[in-house]
Structure formats: C-alpha cells, structure tokens
Amino acid sequence: MPLAPHQLGTYFALSEAVNLLQHAVEQQLRAEGDLSLIQFELLARLADAGRLSMTELADGVVYSRSGLTYQAGLLEKAGLITREPSPDDERATLVTITPDGLERVQRVLPGHVEIVSRMLFSPLTEQDTAELGDIMTRVRDHMRASPPRSSIRKRKARDSR
Amino acid sequence: MPLAPHQLGTYFALSEAVNLLQHAVEQQLRAEGDLSLIQFELLARLADAGRLSMTELADGVVYSRSGLTYQAGLLEKAGLITREPSPDDERATLVTITPDGLERVQRVLPGHVEIVSRMLFSPLTEQDTAELGDIMTRVRDHMRASPPRSSIRKRKARDSR
DNA sequence: TATTGTTATACTCTATAACTATA
DNA sequence: TATAGTTATAGAGTATAACAATA
C-alpha cells in the first residue's frame, strides 16, 4: 500500500520537527551540562529509578549492549554513575546515579524544559497537546508491540545457530 | 514555565516513536540500498529537484557544510551523483543525481514506504493522520520561523568579528 | 545452552578551523 | 568583505564479533 500524499506530508513534518528539536536540545545539553542526549537520557532514567541493571537501562534507549557499556564507562569516569555487581544475579551490573549525577541532571533540566516548551508546545493549544500525546502514545505502543523485521531476523539468526 | 505532566508524556512518546521509526528505517535503507538515512534524504531531494547547489541541498538537512561535502564525496564515489561548477556562479557546485542514483532511490523506496506505513500509520485513522499532520506542520513552521538560541549566538559571534 | 556484560576493533559520522576562489 | 565549498584533523558514536563468567 503506497502512502497517500497527506501521509507523506505528515511523515516529513514529523521527522523534520523532531530532528530540529533534538538538534537544539543536543546543543543545550552539551553547552550547559557537557552531556550528549543519550547520556542525559540515561542519567534521567537513573534519576527517576535510582538504580538499574545495564539491561534495564538499555531498554527504551534502542542501543547495542557495547554502546551502552561505552556510554556507562564515560559516565562512570565522569563520576556521574557507579557500577557494581548485583548481589542477586552475579552476571548483572547495577548502575547507580551519584549525587554529582543528580546535580548534573538538575542543572540541565531547566534549559531542556525551556527549549521543549518554546519549540514544541508554544504553538499548540492544550487540546493539540492532548491529541498529539494520544496519537503518539498509540503509535509508540504499536511500535513496541510489533518489532521491526530486523529484530525478527536477528532472533531467527540467533535461534538457528 | 515548567512542563505540565501531560506535556512531558507527549514529549516522551513523540521522541521515542520517532527514534524507533528512524532506527527501523536506517536498518532497511542500509540492508536494501547500502544507504544511510541522510544519504537517502539527499538523494530523494535530488530525485525530486533534479539538480541543486550544495547550499540548496543542505537546507533542511541541518548539516554543517563540511559534513555535506563528506556525504557528497561518498555519493559521488559511489556514482550516485555528479558535481560540477555552476556556470552562473563559479563559487557554487551543482549536484546532479545520476541514473544509478535514481535507480537506488527507486530500489529502496518501496521498503521505506512499507515501514512507515506499518509502523507509523497503521494504528491511525485518517482523521488522526490529518490532525497529526496539521499539528506537526504548525510546529515545524514555528521552529523554522524562530531559530534556536545557538543560531543567534553564532550570528552575533560572526557579526562581532 | 542462554544470558549479562565487557573488550577489541574498525568504521562512520560530525564539527571546527584553516584555506582557496569567486562575488 | 562576504559567500561557496573543500580539506585536514580530531573526536565521538556505533556495530560486530569474540570473549569470560554466571544462570
């Protein structure tokens, strides 16, 4: 089924707007907190959850395990997180945010929020925001429920080893 | 002004969904056409416009000039575009898509469209799509009209040299 | 055997600054 | 002086495969 013309326009506007927003946010995080977007997301998740295993931390960040190890290494070297073996499962590593890490998140959060408010929400009514949230929540849940073919391929390839 | 709770949820759903979609699209473009998303976007713009200067090509792709030169170098080496000096303005470089480049775009387009249809649009009604398009078009135009502070800083820095 | 995580490695991408040439 | 584009270079991010250790 080909895309209808209005679908194409919707897709382009969506991609372009999110790219512009992410680009602006990356500049802000780098300037005010010396953090990449992914590092901020990891810290924000930890600030919310307190302590997570590497696998839990990777969930939702769409990341290879080695990539997460790399980023965790940077954050640990910067003193923003600590890693320790889990007592429950000795294969697992528990990641904890440090006071410095919390301080860093709090430092960049106002600027982050200000940009998102100004760029994304300022031209929207409350009803727009609610509709957008409803639509994108449905889309996200749909995507999470039906993984792309690449994941299926990977699972099949792994299964047939 | 802090974000209202429902704004935060909207922002997260939006970011996460677009990230998942882009990740899937990148896998598909790489697998079926050996192209990065940016290379595909550049080729698609050229397929539509036929011939563009480097500056025109950069518009909308949010890219440093050197980054565009790098990507154009890759595409030219792959035989998908050609570059030639402009007769009108000898500083400018005109970029043209080759028959091979067009063929490459056409090769990956069906898979691309299929993924976007399945991941983004399949859980949406026509009205959802229209609303999403309307909202994101407004947001995108707003972002384009009011550039982020970093651009202002750059202009001011340049002006005061 | 499967899972958790790390390491080694190679590659891609991106940004900055310096540079050339034209307007 | 400003603009179009390239180059050199350095750093960051990413992915794959091989690996060790535990479940």
Side-chain angles (χ1 to χ4, degrees):
Chain A
M1 168 173 45
L3 290 178
H6 64 284
Q7 288 182 323
L8 205 61
T10 297
Y11 170 51
F12 285 163
L14 180 66
S15 304
E16 193 176 342
V18 171
N19 285 340
L20 286 169
L21 178 59
Q22 283 198 350
H23 200 258
V25 162
E26 279 166 9
Q27 308 263 90
Q28 180 265 327
L29 291 174
R30 181 61 66 192
E32 296 181 10
D34 196 30
L35 292 173
S36 70
L37 180 55
I38 285 161
Q39 287 160 5
F40 169 73
E41 286 172 352
L42 294 174
L43 286 182
R45 288 174 70 96
L46 286 168
D48 188 54
R51 166 174 302 189
L52 293 170
S53 71
M54 293 289 282
T55 299
E56 290 165 334
L57 193 51
D59 278 354
V61 190
V62 183
Y63 225 60
S64 65
R65 289 181 303 159
S66 68
L68 180 58
T69 297
Y70 170 75
Q71 293 294 343
L74 293 181
L75 291 174
E76 188 175 43
K77 196 158 51 180
L80 306 179
I81 65 168
T82 58
R83 281 185 287 186
E84 56 186 340
S86 164
D88 300 345
D89 181 341
E90 300 216 354
R91 294 172 303 182
T93 296
L94 290 182
V95 183
T96 310
I97 191 166
T98 65
D100 278 1
L102 269 177
E103 186 275 331
R104 190 73 66 93
V105 170
Q106 285 158 6
R107 189 161 95 211
V108 297
L109 207 47
H112 187 112
V113 163
E114 194 275 330
I115 286 192
V116 174
S117 288
R118 179 164 41 81
M119 294 184 69
L120 177 61
F121 291 118
S122 77
L124 300 184
T125 67
E126 285 208 12
Q127 195 188 336
D128 288 334
T129 302
E131 279 174 4
L132 179 61
D134 170 65
I135 288 173
M136 294 316 295
T137 299
R138 239 183 307 142
V139 168
R140 187 219 15 220
D141 293 347
H142 166 75
M143 288 179 181
R144 286 242 173 261
S146 50
R149 286 208 205 104
S150 58
S151 305
I152 298 170
R153 273 202 214 104
K154 276 186 187 173
R155 183 165 306 158
K156 283 177 73 172
R158 189 174 58 201
D159 288 348
S160 61
R161 256 186 231 145
Chain B
M1 167 172 48
L3 290 177
H6 64 285
Q7 287 183 324
L8 204 61
T10 297
Y11 169 53
F12 285 163
L14 180 66
S15 304
E16 192 176 341
V18 171
N19 285 340
L20 286 169
L21 178 58
Q22 283 198 351
H23 201 257
V25 162
E26 278 164 11
Q27 308 263 93
Q28 180 263 328
L29 291 174
R30 182 62 65 193
E32 297 181 10
D34 196 30
L35 292 173
S36 70
L37 179 55
I38 284 161
Q39 288 160 4
F40 170 74
E41 286 172 353
L42 294 175
L43 286 182
R45 286 172 73 95
L46 287 168
D48 187 53
R51 167 174 301 189
L52 292 171
S53 72
M54 293 290 281
T55 299
E56 290 166 335
L57 193 51
D59 278 354
V61 188
V62 183
Y63 225 59
S64 63
R65 289 179 304 159
S66 68
L68 180 58
T69 296
Y70 170 74
Q71 292 295 341
L74 293 180
L75 292 174
E76 188 176 44
K77 195 158 55 179
L80 307 179
I81 64 169
T82 57
R83 280 185 287 186
E84 56 187 341
S86 164
D88 299 344
D89 182 340
E90 298 216 354
R91 295 172 303 182
T93 297
L94 290 183
V95 183
T96 311
I97 191 167
T98 65
D100 277 1
L102 270 177
E103 185 276 331
R104 190 72 67 93
V105 171
Q106 286 159 7
R107 189 161 95 209
V108 297
L109 208 46
H112 187 112
V113 164
E114 194 274 331
I115 285 191
V116 175
S117 288
R118 178 163 41 81
M119 293 184 70
L120 177 61
F121 291 117
S122 76
L124 300 183
T125 66
E126 285 207 11
Q127 195 188 336
D128 289 333
T129 301
E131 279 173 2
L132 179 62
D134 171 66
I135 289 173
M136 294 316 295
T137 299
R138 236 182 310 141
V139 169
R140 191 231 357 233
D141 293 346
H142 166 73
M143 289 179 181
R144 286 239 173 263
S146 50
R149 286 208 205 104
S150 58
S151 305
I152 297 169
R153 272 201 217 106
K154 276 185 187 173
R155 184 165 306 158
K156 284 177 72 172
R158 188 175 56 200
D159 289 347
S160 62
R161 256 185 230 144

